[in-house]
Amino acid sequence: MSEWWKNAVIYQIYPRSFMDSNGDGIGDIPGIEKKLDYLASLGIDVIWLSPVYKSPNVDNGYDISDYRDIQDEFGTLADMERLIDKIHEKGMKILMDLVVNHTSDQHPWFIEARSSKDNPKRDYYIWADPKPDGSLPNNWESHFSGSVWQFDEKTGQYYLHIFSAGQPDLNWENPSVRKEVKDIALFWLDKGVDGFRMDVINFISKVPGLPSVPGATGLVRGNMFYMNGPKVHEYLHELNQDVFSKYDIMTVGETPSVTPEIAHQYVDEDRGELSMVFQFEHINTDIKGTRWQIKPWSIKEFKGIISKWQKAIGDKGWNSIYLSNHDQPRSVSRYGNDDKYLLESAKMLCTMNMTLRGTPYVYQGEELGMTNVRFDDISSYQDVESLGMYEDYGKKGVSVHDRMELVYYRGRDSARTPMQWDSSENAGFSHARPWLAVNPNYTWLNAENEMDNPDSIFSFYKNMIAFRRKHPVIIDGSFKEYFEDHDRLFAYMRENDDERLFTMLNFSATQFTLILPEDIDVSSMNLEVSNIGRKDLGGNIITVYPYESFVLVGKK
Ligand code: TEU
Ligand code: CA
């Protein structure tokens, strides 16, 4: 089986916010089709679509009511088939988002399952009786606030939902459920898709008995009882053997709470499970427990985690490289500086993503340097997770001000504001009022402005993607970190039998002097990338500017 995905750059589209073709304020599939030339011009290889299936949209498509059809707002199955063909015609590939830890509560399986205790579909989901004293079956807290248990009046039992009550968890212990999942995958593979991003795929096996978290008062996350659970590898291996391995495709599992040791079990070639996973360690350095418990992040901790993953995965198994997606704040607002150093820091982050070992993901708008947003009032927000926190923390007495600051810093809607295509009304995204307001900075921060400007963030991405393609050392080279103890700088050498590639990244607004070590011979290495337009380094003692990044390339 070829490993084309090791050479690929993947672009994530959040369809609701990408491009509206019919003026209802909601992005759609024909809208994506219109923008394929834009994506081809950026140079990406693969498009990952967040879910487009039929859905009541409690969680914007991550609650699926029909896996074999497209939601009306996005278009038709015929539109989707045409999109798949068009993507292939342009030499790109497409990944679908497979959300199979849970379905929507409107899925026919669940409607049947809840109709009676002896319905044949009952066992597709996870049910529990109330405790003898009438209380909840256990103390697990849902990711979207409140208990993971929803009481079903008709049958007198609770059902489990790790996310919202509209997203009941499937019972993977049931072989019929696993068969259904395989059939869904086959349905899309037979339509020609090139793989899957698999939503919270390490949540599918729960510890038998679903025990309460010991020693806790009130509701708490029951992570240890369903993340990387006892049978997850058995189930993924089965899926791989029966379906994935028969096609030349890739799979990327979304797996919160994995260490490199755990990740190896999912991605090593001899395991026959997934091509790669999204780990969360680097993305969670600014939180304490759940995503709303914020702490300052440190560059040192952050780069230490990235280094650790670079060293641990790649010779065996494979990494994914990402800084943002539809669940995370905008990368430049979080890890860079979205004010004075927007240009420099967005390019610096791009320099990192395109020179690490692994498959890089670009999230829509990241290639323009799109930033977080601060709408005045909670009524402007849509995300089920932010709204859940807002209500829950309100009950706990947290002030409106503090709750809004949490939404600004960490809420998912910042990543979901419409794509900024141009400076016309609604950022060229739609002729109608968009489902979620546009970021007011679209007047100057937009694709049209950037595409023809050689100094733009867009042009930098385009150049870096092309640069990556020219240097196989980025794909197969070893990784060695420099200046490990430096608290502003991340620097590393990538090396194979032909080439050496040295990347320097300043993660701060501070200027400082740096002495490059002797094994980096500035005179024999070419400065091939600079985010501040340097022509050369002029020696091995250099002044490093705020958010500066550069790449030196030399022959072996
Ligand atoms: O996300 C799962 C996940 O663990 C988080 O990133 C999630 O956004 C939440 O913040 C955890 O606190 C996936 C999808 O990417 C997300 O959009 C869905 O809402 C979720 O699963 C449920 O399908
Ligand atoms: Ca539309």
Side-chain angles (χ1 to χ4, degrees):
M1 207 53 61
S2 74
E3 291 184 327
W4 53 265
W5 36 271
K6 289 193 174 173
N7 301 300
V9 175
I10 301 183
Y11 187 93
Q12 182 191 352
I13 289 182
Y14 196 66
R16 216 176 177 71
S17 305
F18 193 63
M19 182 66 201
D20 174 21
S21 72
N22 64 345
D24 63 355
I26 298 172
D28 46 51
I29 291 170
I32 297 173
E33 194 183 319
K34 281 193 177 164
K35 295 296 183 183
L36 290 181
D37 286 334
Y38 169 83
L39 297 176
S41 80
L42 185 58
I44 56 109
D45 306 279
V46 181
I47 296 168
W48 148 30
L49 285 193
S50 275
V52 290
Y53 319 92
K54 282 248 184 319
S55 165
N57 284 313
V58 168
D59 186 18
N60 284 359
Y62 283 89
D63 48 323
I64 298 171
S65 54
D66 184 350
Y67 291 88
R68 292 179 175 78
D69 206 352
I70 301 299
Q71 56 174 292
D72 296 336
E73 293 167 329
F74 289 173
T76 62
L77 193 55
D79 290 334
M80 188 62 212
E81 288 166 345
R82 200 179 55 246
L83 182 70
I84 297 171
D85 288 346
K86 286 272 152 67
I87 289 173
H88 288 154
E89 272 169 31
K90 293 192 187 294
M92 296 183 285
K93 294 183 190 286
I94 172 163
L95 307 182
M96 297 291 275
D97 211 320
L98 199 58
V99 187
V100 287
N101 171 68
H102 44 267
T103 68
S104 160
D105 65 346
Q106 301 304 309
H107 193 289
W109 301 336
F110 191 73
I111 293 174
E112 277 191 52
R114 78 188 314 176
S115 68
S116 77
K117 272 178 145 171
D118 52 15
N119 185 280
K121 295 279 188 312
R122 183 75 172 178
D123 197 37
Y124 270 40
Y125 295 89
I126 301 170
W127 300 89
D129 291 322
K131 290 231 190 93
D133 67 358
S135 63
L136 294 167
N138 70 23
N139 63 1
W140 300 357
E141 182 191 35
S142 146
H143 281 241
F144 294 157
S145 307
S147 165
V148 295
W149 296 103
Q150 176 73 25
F151 192 64
D152 181 60
E153 294 289 343
K154 180 148 186 229
T155 56
Q157 283 190 309
Y158 287 93
Y159 66 85
L160 178 83
H161 60 89
I162 291 175
F163 295 91
S164 78
Q167 295 165 296
D169 281 55
L170 281 165
N171 176 19
W172 279 67
E173 300 263 346
N174 181 345
S176 307
V177 166
R178 304 204 295 277
K179 168 86 170 52
E180 298 274 14
V181 171
K182 290 175 208 167
D183 288 346
I184 293 165
L186 286 169
F187 175 85
W188 288 102
L189 289 168
D190 292 342
K191 297 215 176 295
V193 307
D194 303 286
F196 300 102
R197 178 264 187 190
M198 301 176 73
D199 194 61
V200 286
I201 202 62
N202 63 333
F203 289 21
I204 58 177
S205 167
K206 279 80 176 167
V207 168
L210 312 174
S212 272
V213 179
T217 45
L219 295 174
V220 285
R221 295 287 171 91
N223 296 7
M224 70 258 243
F225 297 119
Y226 58 78
M227 295 191 186
N228 311 307
K231 291 191 177 160
V232 65
H233 298 293
E234 181 187 318
Y235 297 153
L236 288 178
H237 187 63
E238 183 184 316
L239 256 179
N240 181 295
Q241 292 309 291
D242 293 353
V243 181
F244 301 156
S245 61
K246 303 201 156 85
Y247 294 78
D248 187 17
I249 59 165
M250 65 160 277
T251 50
V252 51
E254 189 207 20
T255 57
S257 255
V258 295
T259 59
E261 293 69 36
I262 299 172
H264 271 301
Q265 302 179 344
Y266 290 106
V267 303
D268 283 2
E269 292 77 4
D270 52 7
R271 304 271 310 175
E273 294 187 19
L274 303 171
S275 314
M276 62 187 109
V277 295
F278 290 125
Q279 58 89 9
F280 280 62
E281 288 195 318
H282 68 303
I283 222 84
N284 282 343
T285 53
D286 56 359
I287 59 175
K288 280 175 269 185
T290 78
R291 73 185 284 137
W292 303 114
Q293 295 161 323
I294 311 288
K295 70 172 167 74
W297 68 284
S298 89
I299 297 160
K300 214 161 153 179
E301 184 191 358
F302 175 81
K303 70 170 182 172
I305 292 170
I306 294 187
S307 260
K308 176 180 79 176
W309 281 85
Q310 286 291 298
K311 290 175 203 149
I313 311 246
D315 286 341
K316 207 171 184 219
W318 196 245
N319 269 315
S320 70
I321 308 295
Y322 76 100
L323 289 177
S324 66
N325 58 40
H326 65 293
D327 294 332
Q328 301 295 331
R330 288 283 175 182
S331 60
V332 70
S333 299
R334 190 180 194 181
Y335 301 114
N337 175 312
D338 63 11
D339 188 19
K340 192 169 167 198
Y341 297 112
L342 175 72
L343 217 59
E344 293 82 353
S345 65
K347 292 176 182 179
M348 182 277 289
L349 295 172
C350 171
T351 312
M352 177 176 86
N353 273 0
M354 296 301 162
T355 55
L356 288 173
R357 175 156 68 169
T359 298
Y361 289 74
V362 181
Y363 177 65
Q364 70 180 42
E366 196 172 21
E367 77 281 15
L368 303 175
M370 278 179 64
T371 67
N372 283 353
V373 75
R374 294 171 73 96
F375 296 129
D376 291 338
D377 194 86
I378 192 69
S379 61
S380 303
Y381 288 86
Q382 301 278 350
D383 175 30
V384 59
E385 185 175 54
S386 293
L387 301 180
M389 177 281 292
Y390 192 85
E391 199 189 315
D392 202 38
Y393 278 34
K395 285 186 204 141
K396 291 179 184 153
V398 181
S399 71
V400 168
H401 172 271
D402 289 356
R403 283 180 279 157
M404 289 311 290
E405 285 301 322
L406 285 176
V407 172
Y408 297 152
Y409 181 73
R410 200 70 169 84
R412 304 193 295 183
D413 280 338
S414 273
R416 300 177 180 185
T417 60
M419 182 71 177
Q420 293 165 205
W421 293 109
D422 59 38
S423 58
S424 68
E425 205 184 350
N426 304 322
F429 162 75
S430 175
H431 296 304
R433 187 168 154 223
W435 70 278
L436 175 68
V438 294
N439 188 319
N441 64 14
Y442 76 91
T443 51
W444 55 272
L445 197 169
N446 61 62
E448 191 182 53
N449 265 354
E450 296 197 28
M451 281 175 73
D452 299 324
N453 174 356
D455 296 324
S456 67
I457 297 167
F458 178 90
S459 296
F460 194 84
Y461 265 85
K462 189 172 164 166
N463 294 340
M464 281 308 297
I465 292 170
F467 174 80
R468 193 175 186 278
R469 220 177 287 291
K470 267 196 344 228
H471 296 285
V473 62
I474 298 176
I475 291 150
D476 63 21
S478 62
F479 173 92
K480 183 181 165 203
E481 190 180 357
Y482 287 71
F483 305 105
E484 273 115 322
D485 292 327
H486 205 291
D487 50 17
R488 302 179 193 285
L489 186 82
F490 185 27
Y492 46 87
M493 184 75 85
R494 306 292 318 280
E495 200 164 323
N496 66 10
D497 292 341
D498 308 314
E499 268 187 326
R500 310 174 78 213
L501 192 141
F502 178 75
T503 300
M504 196 289 316
L505 311 157
N506 179 4
F507 268 84
S508 76
T510 306
Q511 177 174 318
F512 53 87
T513 303
L514 186 72
I515 305 174
L516 292 177
E518 279 178 5
D519 65 330
I520 299 167
D521 177 12
V522 182
S523 61
S524 71
M525 291 179 92
N526 283 330
L527 181 73
E528 293 208 11
V529 174
S530 164
N531 71 337
I532 56 166
R534 268 187 200 267
K535 295 288 168 274
D536 60 67
L537 290 181
N540 73 329
I541 303 178
I542 51 177
T543 302
V544 176
Y545 294 98
Y547 293 102
E548 175 169 7
S549 66
F550 62 74
V551 183
L552 300 172
V553 184
K555 287 269 160 269
K556 271 284 281 207

